Amino acid sequence: MKTLDEKEILIQKMTENLPVLRKKLKLTQEELADIIGSSRHTVMLIESGKRRMTWHTFLSLVLLFEKNESTAVLLRTFEIYTKELENTLIN
């Protein structure tokens, strides 16, 4: 990503859509936290907007949701997984 602002926009979009993406995979907050190496409390705070998602957490979530067909489509629909992000991750 080119700028901090671009990262923040993607983080915000992921934060806003995290409950939908998580539920699409039928994961509880605790199950999601275990998968990404976080705590249920942290996931709860992020989903409620009381804690800022880190870039590392964002990337962990992108990897998880990108590997599932139904959530991969949503990542693109919600403009979270963009061509620019894909190019950044590949190069």
Side-chain angles (χ1 to χ4, degrees), residues 25-62:
L25 294 184
K26 298 181 173 118
L27 295 173
T28 65
Q29 289 177 338
E30 187 162 351
E31 290 167 332
L32 177 62
D34 287 343
I35 292 168
I36 65 168
S38 187
S39 70
R40 184 204 60 81
H41 186 71
T42 297
V43 171
M44 184 267 304
L45 290 174
I46 290 170
E47 285 189 358
S48 66
K50 295 179 180 174
R51 178 177 282 180
R52 181 193 167 279
M53 181 185 299
T54 67
W55 184 245
H56 291 113
T57 298
F58 171 84
L59 292 175
S60 296
L61 292 168
V62 165

Side-chain angles (χ1 to χ4, degrees), residues 2-88:
K2 293 183 180 180
T3 69
L4 185 60
D5 288 340
E6 291 170 333
K7 286 182 179 180
E8 289 302 319
I9 290 168
L10 294 177
I11 287 170
Q12 184 61 37
K13 287 179 181 181
M14 178 67 83
T15 300
E16 291 169 0
N17 294 289
L18 184 55
V20 172
L21 292 162
R22 178 176 58 77
K23 289 174 186 172
K24 187 75 171 172
L25 294 184
K26 298 181 173 118
L27 295 173
T28 65
Q29 289 177 338
E30 187 162 351
E31 290 167 332
L32 177 62
D34 287 343
I35 292 168
I36 65 168
S38 187
S39 70
R40 184 204 60 81
H41 186 71
T42 297
V43 171
M44 184 267 304
L45 290 174
I46 290 170
E47 285 189 358
S48 66
K50 295 179 180 174
R51 178 177 282 180
R52 181 193 167 279
M53 181 185 299
T54 67
W55 184 245
H56 291 113
T57 298
F58 171 84
L59 292 175
S60 296
L61 292 168
V62 165
L63 289 172
L64 171 66
F65 295 134
E66 179 60 21
K67 292 298 178 184
N68 181 283
E69 190 175 312
S70 61
T71 51
V73 170
L74 289 176
L75 286 181
R76 286 159 180 77
T77 301
F78 297 148
E79 297 179 346
I80 296 169
Y81 193 83
T82 62
K83 278 290 185 191
E84 184 177 55
L85 176 61
E86 182 176 39
N87 290 338
T88 299

